[in-house]
Each structure stands twice: as structure tokens, then as C-alpha cells.
Amino acid sequence: MSRVCQVTGAEVGFGRNVSHSHRRTNRRFDVNVQKKRYWVPSLGRHVTLRLSARGIKTIDVRGIDAVVADIRGRGGRV
């Protein structure tokens, strides 16, 4: 499964390491994705989401019901 946040849509980024001699090599910027389980009162069950750290903060601010409604509205699976 890919490292993508289900709330923010954050994905892996690509860039370059630059050494002291200025040689460039490819690298990845991985997203800090966590598996987190929430109780959703509107659904009456627990849901497990793959979230970035910013996605967890978004749920803290907006609430799990609003976020799950947005994910379902986009056609995402919850």
C-alpha cells in the first residue's frame, strides 16, 4: 500500500541529496504516515485511517465525523 494520507492527500516527494563536493544523488521525502483507529459516532463503528501528522491535527480541529464525511464524499473507502 502506498504512503498516502487519506485526509490531506500528502504523498512521497522526490529530491536530491547534495554532498559537500556538490555531487547530487536521488532521495525520497517520505510522508509521516500513521495507522490510527477512531470511533465514528455517525457510523456507529471504529474506522482505521492512514494519516499523516497533519491529518491527525486536522481531525483534532474539525472532528472525525466531518473528516469521514469528506472522505466518503470524495469516493474514498472508510
Side-chain angles (χ1 to χ4, degrees):
M1 191 179 292
S2 59
R3 296 178 63 89
V4 178
C5 176
Q6 288 182 284
V7 174
T8 63
E11 295 179 326
V12 65
F14 294 95
R16 303 236 178 192
N17 284 326
V18 181
S19 70
H20 181 69
S21 65
H22 218 63
R23 288 178 62 110
R24 295 180 175 149
T25 55
N26 294 332
R27 65 158 294 179
R28 288 169 51 117
F29 294 94
D30 285 326
V31 181
N32 182 14
V33 173
Q34 314 289 324
K35 248 184 162 177
K36 197 125 165 75
R37 187 170 177 246
Y38 288 97
W39 171 255
V40 182
S42 62
L43 299 177
R45 65 183 176 95
H46 286 97
V47 295
T48 302
L49 299 173
R50 290 174 58 88
L51 302 170
S52 63
R54 183 170 295 278
I56 293 170
K57 293 175 189 176
T58 301
I59 290 174
D60 290 343
V61 171
R62 295 184 54 206
I64 187 65
D65 283 322
V67 171
V68 167
D70 283 351
I71 293 171
R72 293 184 122 192
R74 290 194 306 253
R77 184 174 161 268
V78 177

